[in-house]
Amino acid sequence: MALGSTLRDLFRDYRFVVAFIVLLFLVALAVISAFSPYDPTIWYYAPRDLKPSSQHILGTDSRGQDIFWQAAFAIRNSLIISIVAGLFSRLIAVAVGLVAGYQGGRTDRVLMFITDGFLVIPLFLILVMLAMLIRDKMNVFTTGLLLAVFGWAWDARVLRSQVLSLREREFTKTAILSGTPTLELVFKEYMPYITPLAFSTLINNMSWAIGMEMTLSIIGLTNMDIPTLGTNLKWALNYQAILMRRWNWILTPVVLSVLLFIALYWLSVSISEYLDPRTRVQRVGGE
Amino acid sequence: MKPSDVVLRTENLKAHYVLDVPGGQKVVRAVDGVELQIRRNEIYGIAGESGCGKSTLMKTLYAWVNRPLRLVEGSVFYSKDGQEFDVYALNKQELRRLRWTFMAYVPQGAMSIFNPVIKIKETYRDFLSSHLRGKTVEEMFEMAKEHIEQLGLPVSILEAYPHQLSGGMRQRVAIALAALLRPSVIFADEPTTALDVVVQRGVVQLLKDIQERLHNTIILVTHDMGIHANVTDRLCIMYAGRIIEEAATVEIFKNPLHPYTQFLINSLPQFGDTGERVSAPGQPPSLANLPSGCAFHPRCPQAMPICRERRPEDTKLGEHRVACWLHAERGEAEYAANS
Amino acid sequence: MFWRDYLIPRLLQYFLVIFLGITIVFFIPRLAPTNPVERTIAEVRSRGQYLDPAHIKDMVDALTEMYGLSGSWWEQYKDFWVRLSRGDFGVSFFQFPTPVIELIKRALPWTVGLLFTTTVLSWLFGNIVGGMAGYAHSRGWSKLLDFLAMFVRPIPYYVVALGLLILFGYVYRLFPIGGGATIGVRPSWTLAYIKDVLRHAFLPALSMVLLGGASWFQTSKLIVQNVKAEDFVQYAQLGGIRESRIMFRYIIRNAMLPQVTNLALSLGQILSGALITEIVFSYPGLGHLLYSAITTGDYNLIMGIISLSIVAITTLVLIVDLLYPLFDPRIRYK
């Protein structure tokens, strides 16, 4: 598939264009956090509860921190968490999907039994227990890993059915009959089909991970010293920002996360529509 | 042919698929100027390779034209109770009432045409209750049972779900359903495709039985010339959206005039003939991009310069008509002699 | 056969999932780097209380007993199941000495009332509107709804919940900002009390119906659009079957099938949304109780709520799954 023509087709979709621009803006925000004038964990770096001014674009919060720079760090960390969670859970999903789909038989049944178990069990509750016990030791990377363990099951099923249909295709039989080693067949012949699918589920899974991190933060189950979209919101709620009508504080993480979620969703919808016009809506990975 | 014998007549019928593609529209000329007269009490066959527009013609005749298919030109006339009417002039409600009571359809691929979550008898009931008034559910089930028995199908299928029936049985149920309200015209689109030969015979026999019982018109589309030879009374050959030859079936098989028809017939195996079977060389043309002149000329071994330039009009030789430059002069001469 | 191919594997999975879920819940605190007893004592200390060493020893013993942490793991594990089967989860720490089961009993009606109603409502609402929109997918209103759903769908629960709370609780004070009923009013079956409860439930319910509905709307619209193109629908239209009959018996009947399965799958994930809703609206249900238990480190309460929820949710999913063959003869008669 020529990348150029694919991108040209995608850019015809207004949703893709909007999503792309919004994501570009958010990533830029994440990147400039590297040039922040201060360490985000320091309290009372600035006077508290300032209104937006030229000094502090979005004002400061009750912890004496600059809301703009906090938001930049939050976007950066939330994106890192979601990418770690997305990539590692794709690894599990692709491995399970490929092995189950290609091996078939008992291997398939056992793997799918486990996968279905993950789909049926109220994973969130177990996640809550785990997070509660290890929250103080969590950093951005381990949070991502923890979420990865919980977010692969649905996509493993999707990938498996793709492999099942590939296995029925003519080229698989030809390859097997001509003695192509299994690994070579899987990596050379199947990957071009699996990769786009894995990519489109990656985006869904990333937004699931960001949402999950925010949920856990609001319950107070993440490390509150690390600024993320979730902890930013949680601090604002903790200091009764709504009651105090400190809209610049509470709305910053809310608006940013809404932008992020809509952008990721539109991106995934337009990509999956491009891949398969019949499936216009996909469920969010691990939802 | 007396006009009162004609149940279905078309005038210069054109139906095209109009597809939106990047940078404009693509037009697929699936039905491109078809003239037909189909009589009462006959089985009329339509033959041709896949992709020649047979199924589209059937849909257009049945007034089943949904986007991207569009009726571009021409009309379809039916005559019912001595009255002739243009089927495309009817409104939605009138058309709905006409279906199944006057004309019925056996679609291609009966594997998935039944609602998978209701029993066959419920499908019967839906057809009956949508077209008959004042019948109780029991009466309708009773009618379904009688109907199935008359056609020699097992009554137990009424209590079955579609997935419990074999492909051949589903096809037979589809045909039986079409005959349910004794329609004057039944369209059957490739009813034997995808069935094995033994099952095919049962299906063909059922069609024949129904025609003998109802004395109605059955229009049968199939690419299988063997079935046409066995079943149909009259036969037309379709190529690239047009009818290139039409005559009584016996006449066509005895005396095929169009080179394409000759290929179709010669490709059939025959007893005692050990010679090589020859089929038409090359591929059927794309309906989106037809050759100039006669659409068959790139594949025709007898092509002449005129075939590349001008499309042949119909030549009528009594009840036999053909659209081919090889026969145009002969037809004109006969026409001149007769008049 | 139906029994062998569908029912038995499904029941097997049910018991296995409960068994594994509860086992995981049992082991997580025991495998964690800090055990609950140490954490509790650290928490008491961090509140600035001075504890003398003898007192600490007593406390450790008492807490170990209370959390069922005495004896070998195997004994604890057996004991855990025995107590579970009796519905005994020990006493709560943050509302000492109320038994955990008592707290759960008090919170359960609120959650069930809110969750059950909103789940059913949003499923019905999303499917009906989505079905109609899928049936008339080329109409303007259908496209408009589709466009709106593209905005609502990706927004997470708490943002919608917060937004509604700010808008209708603070800016326009139309609805109460929290609680299940007005504080101090005694529960009774009077019209006034029921109205009060409904008023309190309105915003949390609206937030869940809005989001759940948008998601069901999208899937349902897509499914109906696809079913409408199926051969058997085309055939029914070809046969001049009445439009209302095609709509209900052919399209909706078949489009509902995947939605029943999807309902079962979504039930398993329902609590994460409810938890946030209850926290944002201070709704006195299980989610809020769990939140309090987490913030006070009340292990018995947490384990009690989570174990019961696992059993309840897997049972619900099982019931929906077992109802499925009623709608789909292809599963019933192989």
Side-chain angles (χ1 to χ4, degrees):
Chain A
M1 202 183 321
L3 196 62
S5 76
T6 306
L7 281 178
R8 214 174 22 250
D9 278 348
L10 282 172
F11 271 106
R12 274 206 194 100
D13 186 351
Y14 74 96
R15 291 169 303 191
F16 188 86
V17 177
V18 172
F20 187 81
I21 292 171
V22 170
L23 277 182
L24 216 59
F25 163 72
L26 293 175
V27 170
L29 204 58
V31 169
I32 61 164
S33 72
F35 306 104
S36 164
Y38 83 111
D39 176 353
T41 54
I42 300 174
W43 289 40
Y44 308 122
Y45 149 85
R48 296 162 44 180
D49 297 326
L50 290 181
K51 291 230 152 33
S53 65
S54 57
Q55 192 89 46
H56 303 283
I57 307 172
L58 290 171
T60 61
D61 63 19
S62 303
R63 297 188 297 154
Q65 294 180 325
D66 183 290
I67 292 175
F68 173 80
W69 289 112
Q70 279 289 321
F73 279 107
I75 283 282
R76 189 196 73 173
N77 288 336
S78 283
L79 281 178
I80 293 176
I81 289 174
S82 72
I83 289 170
V84 171
L87 286 182
F88 276 91
S89 65
R90 283 330 77 188
L91 276 185
I92 306 176
V94 170
V96 171
L98 273 181
V99 172
Y102 191 79
Q103 291 286 326
R106 180 173 297 180
T107 319
D108 181 35
R109 277 203 296 277
V110 171
L111 284 175
M112 280 307 109
F113 190 83
I114 298 171
T115 310
D116 284 350
F118 265 80
L119 283 175
V120 176
I121 209 167
L123 276 183
F124 177 71
L125 295 170
I126 291 169
L127 191 62
V128 163
M129 285 206 76
L130 263 175
M132 192 176 74
L133 286 155
I134 53 177
R135 67 181 130 171
D136 300 334
K137 299 183 176 55
M138 298 278 264
N139 56 34
V140 174
F141 188 73
T142 46
T143 308
L145 278 189
L146 182 69
L147 290 173
V149 175
F150 289 88
W152 56 269
W154 179 262
D155 300 323
R157 261 204 167 285
V158 173
L159 290 165
R160 168 184 170 268
S161 52
Q162 174 74 27
V163 175
L164 276 182
S165 78
L166 287 175
R167 212 174 57 155
E168 294 306 312
R169 297 262 195 98
E170 206 54 50
F171 71 82
T172 303
K173 288 170 192 151
T174 326
I176 291 173
L177 287 176
S178 58
T180 314
T182 307
L183 272 183
E184 195 188 317
L185 173 73
V186 165
F187 280 98
K188 274 204 171 145
E189 307 288 338
Y190 285 7
M191 272 306 164
Y193 294 93
I194 299 288
T195 315
L197 197 60
F199 185 72
S200 97
T201 61
L202 168 73
I203 298 170
N204 283 330
N205 192 261
M206 279 172 62
S207 76
W208 171 80
I210 297 170
M212 210 32 125
E213 192 275 332
M214 292 186 84
T215 307
L216 289 176
S217 298
I218 290 178
I219 320 172
L221 287 181
T222 52
N223 188 339
M224 294 292 287
D225 292 332
I226 302 173
T228 63
L229 287 173
T231 54
N232 269 7
L233 188 60
K234 176 66 176 172
W235 279 115
L237 290 174
N238 266 5
Y239 278 92
Q240 301 295 341
I242 301 181
L243 263 182
M244 317 291 290
R245 294 173 178 263
R246 301 286 323 281
W247 304 129
N248 57 326
W249 188 6
I250 185 103
L251 284 183
T252 303
V254 167
V255 169
L256 284 177
S257 58
V258 167
L259 281 179
L260 183 56
F261 281 111
I262 290 187
L264 286 175
Y265 182 68
W266 285 18
L267 199 65
S268 112
V269 168
S270 76
I271 289 178
S272 60
E273 219 172 286
Y274 173 77
L275 292 176
D276 179 3
R278 248 174 82 97
T279 51
R280 285 233 297 106
V281 179
Q282 283 201 328
R283 59 180 29 247
V284 174
E287 176 187 15
Chain B
M1 197 188 323
K2 284 183 292 185
S4 63
D5 273 349
V6 175
V7 70
L8 163 60
R9 176 170 76 81
T10 70
E11 273 173 12
N12 191 27
L13 192 63
K14 287 188 181 174
H16 299 167
Y17 292 95
V18 183
L19 307 166
D20 290 316
V21 289
Q25 282 185 329
K26 188 173 147 185
V27 177
V28 178
R29 298 166 196 280
V31 174
D32 203 24
V34 165
E35 301 268 355
L36 272 181
Q37 294 205 346
I38 297 173
R39 301 168 197 170
R40 289 176 211 288
N41 198 8
E42 74 170 351
I43 301 188
Y44 185 85
I46 301 176
E49 290 164 301
S50 36
C52 71
K54 299 178 302 229
S55 287
T56 312
L57 174 61
M58 293 281 268
K59 285 182 191 142
T60 314
L61 294 178
Y62 193 70
W64 182 252
V65 174
N66 293 318
R67 288 174 148 232
L69 183 63
R70 287 184 203 168
L71 181 76
V72 179
E73 217 185 302
S75 17
V76 178
F77 295 101
Y78 283 91
S79 77
K80 186 187 174 199
D81 309 325
Q83 294 252 318
E84 193 173 64
F85 59 90
D86 181 351
V87 75
Y88 282 94
L90 301 179
N91 68 29
K92 243 178 131 182
Q93 233 3 274
E94 290 168 329
L95 199 56
R96 187 186 78 73
R97 276 192 230 111
L98 202 64
R99 295 201 163 126
W100 243 249
T101 52
F102 176 73
M103 54 184 188
Y105 203 97
V106 182
Q108 201 170 357
M111 288 310 285
S112 50
I113 62 169
F114 295 113
N115 187 347
V117 297
I118 62 177
K119 292 178 176 175
I120 296 295
K121 71 171 182 189
E122 295 290 333
T123 299
Y124 260 91
R125 183 186 142 197
D126 288 342
F127 275 98
L128 286 168
S129 71
S130 295
H131 296 289
L132 297 179
R133 275 168 192 280
K135 290 263 190 275
T136 66
V137 179
E138 281 72 36
E139 282 170 337
M140 287 190 278
F141 286 154
E142 198 49 47
M143 283 176 73
K145 204 176 140 204
E146 263 172 45
H147 180 248
I148 285 280
E149 272 173 344
Q150 276 177 357
L151 294 178
L153 298 178
V155 177
S156 58
I157 59 166
L158 285 173
E159 292 294 331
Y161 285 96
H163 72 275
Q164 296 171 306
L165 302 179
S166 68
M169 188 52 84
R170 271 183 242 186
Q171 186 66 67
R172 269 182 277 188
V173 173
I175 293 171
L177 255 175
L180 178 62
L181 298 171
R182 313 177 70 85
S184 304
V185 184
I186 295 177
F187 294 87
D189 191 0
E190 299 274 13
T192 55
T193 315
L195 298 178
D196 64 64
V197 183
V198 182
V199 182
Q200 278 188 12
R201 277 187 54 178
V203 168
V204 165
Q205 194 54 48
L206 182 62
L207 273 174
K208 274 177 144 174
D209 286 351
I210 286 171
Q211 202 276 329
E212 272 163 34
R213 191 184 296 274
L214 301 181
H215 300 292
N216 65 354
T217 304
I218 293 184
I219 300 169
L220 174 65
V221 157
T222 171
H223 62 274
D224 187 334
M225 292 301 283
I227 287 180
H228 282 301
N230 277 324
V231 187
T232 58
D233 300 314
R234 286 198 309 139
L235 179 60
C236 76
I237 315 291
M238 211 171 160
Y239 190 84
R242 293 176 71 87
I243 287 173
I244 54 157
E245 185 162 3
E246 182 200 45
T249 309
V250 186
E251 163 73 9
I252 291 233
F253 276 87
K254 218 163 51 188
N255 182 26
L257 294 178
H258 199 286
Y260 177 67
T261 313
Q262 289 163 5
F263 275 121
L264 282 185
I265 288 165
N266 284 335
S267 65
L268 276 179
Q270 273 161 358
F271 269 119
D273 183 355
T274 52
E276 203 180 328
R277 304 266 70 86
V278 193
S279 61
Q283 294 293 316
S286 154
L287 295 175
N289 189 14
L290 286 176
S292 63
C294 171
F296 187 60
H297 86 256
R299 302 168 74 187
C300 183
Q302 291 160 269
M304 304 176 292
I306 191 172
C307 301
R308 266 182 281 278
E309 281 155 28
R310 283 174 54 202
R311 194 159 65 185
E313 293 304 314
D314 280 351
T315 306
K316 288 204 172 64
L317 303 159
E319 293 276 277
H320 199 145
R321 71 168 153 132
V322 62
C324 177
W325 286 116
L326 286 173
H327 305 284
E329 260 174 64
R330 208 174 109 204
E332 273 159 30
E334 258 178 50
Y335 177 78
N338 285 351
S339 58
Chain C
M1 289 312 293
F2 168 62
W3 280 89
R4 222 193 56 220
D5 293 342
Y6 188 80
L7 201 60
I8 305 235
R10 190 63 195 77
L11 282 173
L12 207 72
Q13 190 193 42
Y14 170 69
F15 288 114
L16 217 86
V17 162
I18 288 189
F19 170 75
L20 284 177
I22 304 279
T23 306
I24 293 171
V25 169
F26 170 82
F27 276 108
I28 286 177
R30 286 165 178 80
L31 291 173
T34 50
N35 85 27
V37 175
E38 287 164 23
R39 274 192 79 114
T40 312
I41 290 178
E43 207 136 296
V44 173
R45 272 203 179 126
S46 70
R47 285 177 213 157
Q49 283 182 26
Y50 172 73
L51 302 165
D52 67 81
H55 190 89
I56 290 184
K57 173 88 181 57
D58 286 351
M59 250 182 96
V60 168
D61 289 346
L63 285 170
T64 308
E65 187 57 40
M66 205 173 102
Y67 287 145
L69 291 171
S70 52
S72 72
W73 277 17
W74 175 240
E75 279 166 7
Q76 294 176 24
Y77 185 61
K78 270 192 311 191
D79 190 45
F80 184 69
W81 277 105
V82 171
R83 295 199 325 192
L84 190 76
S85 64
R86 276 186 281 143
D88 171 14
F89 299 98
V91 293
S92 159
F93 180 74
F94 98 104
Q95 294 198 23
F96 194 80
T98 322
V100 162
I101 194 74
E102 195 51 45
L103 290 174
I104 293 179
K105 267 187 197 157
R106 260 183 245 158
L108 196 62
W110 294 105
T111 296
V112 171
L114 184 65
L115 268 190
F116 184 76
T117 336
T118 51
T119 307
V120 171
L121 272 182
S122 55
W123 193 78
L124 282 178
F125 164 78
N127 274 304
I128 291 172
V129 181
M132 293 192 316
Y135 192 75
H137 60 91
S138 49
R139 296 276 183 79
W141 62 267
S142 169
K143 285 182 176 153
L144 180 71
L145 281 178
D146 206 26
F147 184 72
L148 289 179
M150 288 285 295
F151 279 96
V152 179
R153 170 75 194 280
I155 301 178
Y157 268 114
Y158 48 83
V159 171
V160 174
L162 272 178
L164 287 176
L165 186 68
I166 292 172
L167 201 61
F168 296 113
Y170 290 95
V171 181
Y172 306 99
R173 294 163 190 273
L174 293 175
F175 290 97
I177 54 167
T182 307
I183 299 164
V185 179
R186 290 182 69 82
S188 59
W189 284 110
T190 59
L191 196 64
Y193 184 73
I194 292 171
K195 254 167 86 178
D196 187 46
V197 168
L198 286 181
R199 251 172 65 80
H200 280 80
F202 186 80
L203 284 184
L206 182 66
S207 70
M208 299 186 77
V209 170
L210 213 60
L211 272 184
S215 149
W216 288 122
F217 167 84
Q218 284 192 315
T219 11
S220 162
K221 176 168 182 278
L222 179 71
I223 292 172
V224 165
Q225 246 169 279
N226 286 341
V227 170
K228 208 183 158 190
E230 292 265 8
D231 286 349
F232 61 85
V233 175
Q234 301 280 310
Y235 182 58
Q237 288 171 341
L238 213 65
I241 291 183
R242 277 177 219 289
E243 198 169 338
S244 57
R245 193 156 273 243
I246 294 180
M247 171 118 176
F248 289 106
R249 241 153 90 105
Y250 287 71
I251 298 177
I252 293 192
R253 251 320 278 283
N254 281 282
M256 287 315 259
L257 294 178
Q259 288 294 66
V260 173
T261 314
N262 286 343
L263 177 66
L265 279 173
S266 78
L267 282 176
Q269 321 302 332
I270 205 168
L271 224 67
S272 58
L275 195 64
I276 297 296
T277 314
E278 290 187 3
I279 293 171
V280 170
F281 292 100
S282 323
Y283 205 72
L286 272 189
H288 199 255
L289 189 65
L290 181 61
Y291 178 58
S292 316
I294 290 169
T295 46
T296 52
D298 192 338
Y299 279 83
N300 278 352
L301 189 52
I302 294 169
M303 303 230 322
I305 294 173
I306 293 188
S307 311
L308 269 188
S309 306
I310 288 180
V311 175
I313 290 176
T314 28
T315 309
L316 259 178
V317 174
L318 179 78
I319 291 173
V320 176
D321 269 357
L322 290 187
L323 286 177
Y324 183 82
L326 285 183
F327 306 110
D328 193 346
R330 281 164 297 188
I331 303 282
R332 236 180 315 153
Y333 311 99
K334 271 270 164 86

